Amino acid sequence: MPKIVRFHALGGPEVLKLDEVDVPLPGTGEVRIRTRALGLNRAEVMFRTGNYVVDPVFPQALGYEASGTVEAVGSDVAALAVGDAVSVVPAFAMTDYALHGELVLAPAHAVVRHPQQLTWEEAAGVWMPFITAYGGLVDLAGLIPGDTVVIPAASSSVGLAAIQIANMIGAKPVALTRTGSKRRQLIDAGAAAVIDTEEEHVVERLRDITGGAGVQVIFDPVAGPLLPSLIDAAATGATVIIYGALSTDATALPVLAVLGKHITIRGYELFEVTTDPERLRPAVAFVRDGLESGALKPTLDKIFEMAHIADAYRYLETNGQVGKVVVTVPQTATN
């Protein structure tokens, strides 16, 4: 039987097990995929530790992203065929579908043929970061050429995707990082400027970068004590997109600055886009166009084998990576 990554109790990476599980044939609106690579995300860490928007039901599988080959399709699925090379858009709850395993089911509406030039590992790391960044920057903030966008946690896979999307549009991406050790990598990744938030004065640097005009978009997964400074450096009419709460410290709201600058602050999560067909179609088209033109390319940091998936998550949780952590699925006669 195929091996599926599951956990039977909340905890650290050590609770992850490779269980042998019978995977049924796809039902209505479903596709069965023999996976080749799996993309790891912080959402799965939060889910595994009991800090996510849904609670696990044990024994619980997990995983939002995978690439592989369609092995079977439901009777009503016409857009996909057996043998198609596909990857999966996170557009479902992990309590309904989970993709970290050798053989998995996925809802057909979330399964996409990816551009042929992508490797399996790259394809497994496309949709979460790029559609998260597209949804915040394009769908909600309306980023346009010439805008300056500030990107905290810029070395994450979403941060790197946001840098690429900003450059694709013709905007100016400013990367924030807690230390200067990642500066060269972020410049190489396309950042127009990099600010070391522990060593530099963020507001002064942003005013210098924008010539005093202020930034038009803040795309923030951190919040916490730095957010008031970012709002201080924002332009009149700026948009603040908050899509995470990585900081464990309180987030103060500078009310007078928000009022006086007519700033819009918007909470956002990926599923707003991926569960709405009218918003998902242009998102997938935008990302696919960027991948095919070469303007967008997944940034892979480190690759593990599925047998070492606990080590892969340990590495992810050190926060030292620049880009995506991916797990490969060895192909054997029994999986």
Side-chain angles (χ1 to χ4, degrees):
M1 285 194 292
K3 293 178 180 178
I4 304 297
V5 180
R6 298 200 301 185
F7 58 107
H8 298 252
L10 299 178
E14 69 279 357
V15 303
L16 296 173
K17 308 295 181 185
L18 293 180
D19 294 341
E20 292 189 349
V21 177
D22 184 30
V23 179
L25 287 169
T28 301
E30 293 182 331
V31 174
R32 192 163 74 173
I33 300 169
R34 191 164 296 279
T35 63
R36 299 295 296 270
L38 318 172
L40 273 55
N41 297 285
R42 296 189 188 282
E44 292 135 11
V45 176
M46 296 170 68
F47 184 50
R48 191 193 69 226
T49 55
N51 297 296
Y52 199 47
V53 292
V54 293
D55 295 323
V57 179
F58 301 118
Q60 179 65 63
L62 81 171
Y64 272 133
E65 291 184 287
S67 63
T69 304
V70 173
E71 191 202 63
V73 299
S75 58
D76 63 332
V77 176
L80 297 162
V82 172
D84 283 348
V86 297
S87 47
V88 184
V89 177
F92 44 84
M94 280 187 282
T95 47
D96 294 329
Y97 295 94
L99 300 180
H100 286 179
E102 294 175 333
L103 189 66
V104 299
L105 291 175
H109 71 266
V111 179
V112 177
R113 292 190 191 91
H114 53 255
Q116 293 182 352
Q117 71 266 29
L118 296 184
T119 66
W120 293 114
E121 292 79 14
E122 289 171 335
V126 165
W127 300 108
M128 175 71 85
F130 281 107
I131 292 189
T132 298
Y134 167 91
L137 297 180
V138 180
D139 186 288
L140 291 180
L143 192 69
I144 59 174
D147 280 352
T148 298
V149 55
V150 177
I151 305 169
S155 60
S156 69
S157 58
V158 176
L160 294 168
I163 289 171
Q164 292 185 30
I165 286 175
N167 283 324
M168 182 175 167
I169 289 170
K172 178 187 289 187
V174 177
L176 303 191
T177 180
R178 289 183 298 173
T179 69
S181 62
K182 297 177 181 178
R183 181 182 299 275
R184 183 71 259 166
Q185 289 166 294
L186 290 168
I187 291 294
D188 291 343
V194 177
I195 300 175
D196 176 348
T197 60
E198 292 187 354
E199 298 293 334
E200 299 181 79
H201 193 290
V202 175
V203 176
E204 289 181 1
R205 285 277 283 123
L206 288 173
R207 285 175 177 159
D208 289 343
I209 289 166
T210 63
V215 301
Q216 285 76 34
V217 177
I218 298 166
F219 184 55
D220 187 12
V222 180
L226 186 60
L227 184 60
S229 295
L230 299 182
I231 290 174
D232 189 16
T236 298
T239 300
V240 180
I241 303 295
I242 299 177
Y243 70 98
L246 294 178
S247 175
T248 58
D249 296 322
T251 302
L253 180 65
V255 175
L256 292 179
V258 171
L259 294 175
K261 293 184 179 182
H262 313 151
I263 288 173
T264 299
I265 300 176
R266 174 67 153 80
Y268 159 64
E269 63 172 359
L270 165 79
F271 301 103
E272 289 185 58
V273 175
T274 62
T275 60
D276 181 343
E278 296 304 314
R279 296 169 75 182
L280 180 59
R281 279 192 292 272
V284 170
F286 179 95
V287 174
R288 193 198 301 275
D289 288 347
L291 293 168
E292 290 177 346
S293 72
L296 306 180
K297 185 175 176 62
T299 304
L300 304 185
D301 180 275
K302 194 167 183 179
I303 299 173
F304 294 78
E305 287 196 0
M306 196 173 80
H308 305 292
I309 194 162
D311 291 334
Y313 273 109
R314 286 189 189 95
Y315 178 72
L316 177 72
E317 292 172 53
T318 66
N319 299 319
Q321 75 279 2
V322 177
K324 196 78 173 179
V325 179
V326 173
V327 169
T328 59
V329 182
Q331 301 302 291
T332 69
T334 58
N335 72 351

